[in-house]
Amino acid sequence: MEYQTQCKEIRCPIQFVLGIVGSKWAILILRELFSGSRRTHEFLDALPGISTKTLTARLRELESYGLVDRKVFPEVPPRVEYSLTAKGLEIQPLMMSLKQLGEQWLEQESCDCPMDPDALVGSKSVSV
């Protein structure tokens, strides 16, 4: 419900997108998911400094916006995996542009980043 209210109140598309993915950890969580499904401990290993509480809050936000899917497996103890939805994959071109700009600004040829085209999940990689 809050999502629909936010949609009606925001007039600027940039402000709208940044409201969804602009929190401190959201972009980095999405970056990790471009390599495939992840479990909570995998995020915690890949994102030093994020707390379990913050990770859970960001994942729930991204799930509420339809970018991330949460799958609970009926096991003991329960296993939960997170993956990108089709809507979440739509941010791939923007993420690739951010990666390329970062490499340019850092004057690097490449980085160890899940956004490398060969490592991306989905039907096809994006070249920008």
Side-chain angles (χ1 to χ4, degrees), residues 2-11 16 20 65:
E2 179 183 333
Y3 176 66
Q4 293 174 344
T5 303
Q6 181 185 11
C7 291
K8 294 176 184 176
E9 293 175 1
I10 295 177
R11 300 278 184 229
F16 176 70
I20 295 171
Y65 289 121

Side-chain angles (χ1 to χ4, degrees), residues 27-38 43 83-85 87-96 114-122 126:
I27 288 286
L28 297 177
I29 290 169
L30 292 171
R31 179 196 70 189
E32 290 303 312
L33 289 172
F34 277 107
S35 295
S37 297
R38 294 285 182 267
F43 284 115
S83 60
L84 288 172
T85 63
K87 183 177 179 179
L89 286 168
E90 291 176 357
I91 201 166
Q92 184 177 342
L94 175 63
M95 297 284 285
M96 289 300 295
M115 290 305 302
D116 287 325
D118 295 333
L120 297 175
V121 293
V126 175

Side-chain angles (χ1 to χ4, degrees), residues 94-107:
L94 175 63
M95 297 284 285
M96 289 300 295
S97 293
L98 287 172
K99 177 186 180 288
Q100 290 170 348
L101 180 61
E103 288 173 348
Q104 179 184 332
W105 285 2
L106 292 169
E107 298 178 353

Side-chain angles (χ1 to χ4, degrees), residues 42-97:
E42 293 172 308
F43 284 115
L44 294 171
D45 291 344
L47 303 171
I50 192 170
S51 69
T52 304
K53 180 181 177 180
T54 300
L55 174 61
T56 301
R58 292 300 160 267
L59 284 166
R60 287 192 178 151
E61 286 174 9
L62 293 169
E63 183 182 9
S64 74
Y65 289 121
L67 301 176
V68 170
D69 183 48
R70 179 178 184 261
K71 184 174 182 180
V72 180
F73 293 86
E75 301 173 356
V76 177
R79 177 171 51 112
V80 179
E81 286 186 354
Y82 297 90
S83 60
L84 288 172
T85 63
K87 183 177 179 179
L89 286 168
E90 291 176 357
I91 201 166
Q92 184 177 342
L94 175 63
M95 297 284 285
M96 289 300 295
S97 293

